[in-house]
Amino acid sequence: ARAMLSVASQCFRAVSATVAAQPSLRRACVGHTQRVVPQTRRCTVRCHATTSGPGALGMTKVLFVEVGMGADQHGQDATKAAVRACRNAIEFNSIPSIKDIVPGGYDAMKLHIQLGVPHSFLDSVDLEKVKAVFPYGNIVEPVDIGPGGLLAKSGIAIAEMGDTNDDFVIVVASITVGY
């Protein structure tokens, strides 16, 4: 599992070519598929494992998946939206039996974080702040961040609240819990 994560993290790399003419370019990669995602100054190629199951997430067993949504209506802060999405995913859960069902208890619990962020904000998410949301468990690296969420319009830009425009940044999160 560790080797697979290492390969996946190595596949995440910057590409200098523009893909304006081919926005959905896909190429084969050993055990992975690549999707080119347009960015403001460059393109990012993100490899996604084509295998599934707990091993693809760096786990032996998946117990459950939690999902959440977070938004920043003023200030265009994708980190704030991502933190809110992760909090939303875990805030209404109480799992008192983790110490009984996970060998090693809370210290051995693993968390895989997947974030869908509007593509123009992918590089602006502070992953350390996102990881700090989780009170226990071990974060499986790397945090999977890719294009998703929504960039909507709030209808108003309020400079006093940090707005540079009326963008409304919405991030979605999927948190897989296992061991």
Side-chain angles (χ1 to χ4, degrees):
R2 209 173 261 262
M4 178 180 257
L5 287 174
S6 176
V7 170
S9 64
Q10 289 172 4
C11 285
F12 189 20
R13 58 193 180 274
V15 175
S16 59
T18 180
V19 294
Q22 300 173 340
S24 61
L25 180 64
R26 294 180 188 276
R27 297 181 193 143
C29 182
V30 178
H32 294 79
T33 58
Q34 295 180 0
R35 179 173 62 209
V36 177
V37 181
Q39 300 267 326
T40 51
R41 290 188 203 119
R42 68 180 197 286
C43 299
T44 299
V45 177
R46 180 67 189 249
C47 288
H48 300 278
T50 55
T51 58
S52 61
L57 300 174
M59 300 179 188
T60 303
K61 185 163 189 86
V62 170
L63 299 174
F64 51 91
V65 179
E66 304 166 302
V67 295
M69 187 273 302
D72 183 35
Q73 186 173 359
H74 297 288
Q76 297 74 47
D77 187 341
T79 298
K80 186 183 290 186
V83 164
R84 289 174 175 170
C86 290
R87 283 188 185 146
N88 181 245
I90 67 170
E91 68 188 346
F92 298 110
N93 298 300
S94 175
I95 311 151
S97 60
I98 284 289
K99 63 183 178 189
D100 299 326
I101 59 176
V102 173
Y106 291 105
D107 293 334
M109 184 176 77
K110 293 182 180 181
L111 303 167
H112 176 264
I113 304 169
Q114 182 178 6
L115 300 172
V117 179
H119 74 86
S120 59
F121 290 88
L122 282 171
D123 292 335
S124 68
V125 177
D126 182 342
L127 295 178
E128 293 307 312
K129 288 182 179 179
V130 171
K131 292 189 276 188
V133 167
F134 302 92
Y136 45 81
N138 299 299
I139 307 296
V140 176
E141 296 288 348
V143 170
D144 187 5
I145 182 169
L150 181 67
L151 186 58
K153 295 295 181 186
S154 68
I156 187 170
I158 304 172
E160 296 81 21
M161 297 185 79
D163 284 340
T164 57
N165 56 42
D166 67 341
D167 285 348
F168 189 153
V169 180
I170 301 169
V171 173
V172 294
S174 174
I175 314 302
T176 304
V177 180
Y179 59 89

